[in-house]
Amino acid sequence: MPGRSTYSIQAPAAVVMVRPHHFTVNTETAADNRFQARWAAGEDLGPLAFAEITRAAETLRSHGVDVHLFEDMGTETPDSVFPNNWFSTPAGGHVAIYPMKAESRRRERRSDVVEMLKARYRVQEVIDYSGLEPDGLFLEGTGAMVLDHIDRAVRSDRTDAIALERFSTHFGFEPMVFDARDGDGVPVYHTNVLMCVATDFAMIGLGMLTDPARRQEIVARLERSGRRVIALSNDQIARFAGNALELQGRKGRILALWATALAALDEAQLAAIEESATLVALDIPTIERAGGSVRCTLAGIHLTPRA
């Protein structure tokens, strides 16, 4: 397949995952996350979530992705399985730590993850934006932002403008902000549920972008970067088809996504993706009930390994 095995800065070869031992759905974030599912009080989701992350990590490793798997033994961090929100690794030897809106999510930040990155990879600096939280300024990592490492653009919805500008200026990204709403007119809580930017293609819920002019600008920018734009329907977004992540595997690039999301894609969309990436389905139905899917569970590492 053309370009599939070619190295791409967009597709990390390593990820951080967190395996929860006492998983539950975060009631604090339910108010603005319509992707969260209802659950019965006392329902024990822990063993199911533990097994799903275990299998997902094993599947990625079987494709040659380096998975750094951390354990969460606590009960006060219900969303710890989504580490991509509290940190990311912009290319060039950087680690960014983000300000989180929910107080329960602020407890997810872990020094052992940062120390591992410093020990295993070449880290030049760690920039901590969490000090913005007392001022009510939030920027929830690669949930709020979809980073284009090739075209140096960041596409974002529902994030604080001041925090986004600081991030973009420091790391050399051009912000492209837009508003997005679902079919009922409710704002979409995170950008990465409606958009995935890979090396040769981008999947995006175009119908959710409320400003037609901005929609055309984003499509044009993606196409100028050489990408094929794959439009996703609202129903496909609801099945987390946009919450995918391109990774570098042993035999070439892969696209990791939820099994139900894969089943929601049509033949033309599948063919377009498979021109440059192998589709890898991960089955995480319990994790999905917390309002995030595969991309949310993967914090990509865009750092150079130490020799």
Side-chain angles (χ1 to χ4, degrees):
M1 298 295 177
R4 177 176 292 199
S5 61
T6 305
Y7 168 78
S8 169
I9 195 173
Q10 188 70 16
V15 297
V16 166
M17 300 183 72
V18 176
R19 179 164 51 188
H21 289 245
H22 303 283
F23 176 81
T24 187
V25 176
N26 191 347
T27 56
E28 185 182 9
T29 60
D32 62 354
N33 184 349
R34 290 193 43 155
F35 286 81
Q36 287 187 206
R38 294 184 178 181
W39 62 294
E43 187 178 3
D44 187 7
L45 305 178
L48 295 173
F50 180 92
E52 289 172 11
I53 291 297
T54 301
R55 289 193 301 268
E58 291 173 349
T59 298
L60 293 177
R61 285 169 174 162
S62 73
H63 285 272
V65 177
D66 190 3
V67 178
H68 301 284
L69 187 60
F70 287 79
E71 308 295 333
D72 180 12
M73 307 295 295
T75 59
E76 297 184 350
T77 49
D79 282 330
S80 64
V81 70
F82 304 135
N84 78 304
N85 295 135
W86 72 262
F87 87 96
S88 74
T89 57
H94 311 289
V95 176
I97 299 175
Y98 297 104
M100 306 292 288
K101 181 179 179 180
E103 290 191 14
S104 61
R105 301 222 57 191
R106 298 171 190 178
R107 295 190 288 267
E108 296 172 23
R109 294 190 285 256
R110 303 174 54 148
S111 60
D112 58 345
V113 172
V114 178
E115 292 306 313
M116 181 279 294
L117 294 173
K118 291 179 179 178
R120 296 286 298 274
Y121 300 89
R122 298 189 181 278
V123 176
Q124 296 182 15
E125 64 174 351
V126 177
I127 304 298
D128 189 348
Y129 295 103
S130 63
L132 297 173
E133 289 168 350
D135 295 322
L137 305 178
F138 310 118
L139 182 66
E140 297 188 346
T142 52
M145 303 180 292
V146 175
L147 302 180
D148 183 350
H149 295 274
I150 296 174
D151 200 34
R152 304 303 295 173
V154 51
R155 298 164 178 86
S156 180
D157 169 49
R158 299 190 67 225
T159 191
D160 184 83
I162 295 175
L164 178 63
E165 185 63 31
R166 289 190 185 184
F167 171 89
S168 300
T169 299
H170 190 97
F171 295 111
F173 284 89
E174 178 189 350
M176 299 187 70
V177 181
F178 57 84
D179 291 322
R181 297 178 180 272
D182 65 18
D184 296 323
V186 177
V188 179
Y189 79 109
H190 270 168
T191 310
N192 73 1
V193 298
L194 64 85
M195 187 177 194
C196 165
V197 176
T199 301
D200 296 324
F201 62 89
M203 305 161 65
I204 179 170
L206 291 176
M208 292 185 168
L209 275 60
T210 57
D211 184 344
R214 196 55 163 164
R215 183 190 310 140
Q216 292 178 356
E217 290 173 1
I218 290 174
V219 170
R221 180 68 177 264
L222 289 167
E223 291 178 339
R224 283 199 303 271
S225 69
R227 293 182 173 92
R228 175 181 296 186
V229 176
I230 301 172
L232 300 176
S233 68
N234 286 13
D235 181 65
Q236 289 174 324
I237 295 296
R239 299 186 187 189
F240 287 109
N243 196 243
L245 181 64
E246 184 185 51
L247 300 167
Q248 184 68 44
R250 184 183 306 106
K251 296 182 180 179
R253 294 194 296 272
I254 66 174
L255 185 72
L257 73 171
W258 186 32
T260 298
L262 176 60
L265 298 174
D266 63 35
E267 292 184 4
Q269 292 168 329
L270 293 172
I273 294 168
E274 290 176 329
E275 287 185 8
S276 62
T278 299
L279 288 153
V280 175
L282 305 178
D283 195 17
I284 56 168
T286 305
I287 301 296
E288 178 269 340
R289 293 177 65 182
S293 191
V294 166
R295 199 282 169 252
C296 300
T297 67
L298 304 174
I301 300 177
H302 297 268
L303 298 170
T304 303
R306 292 187 180 274

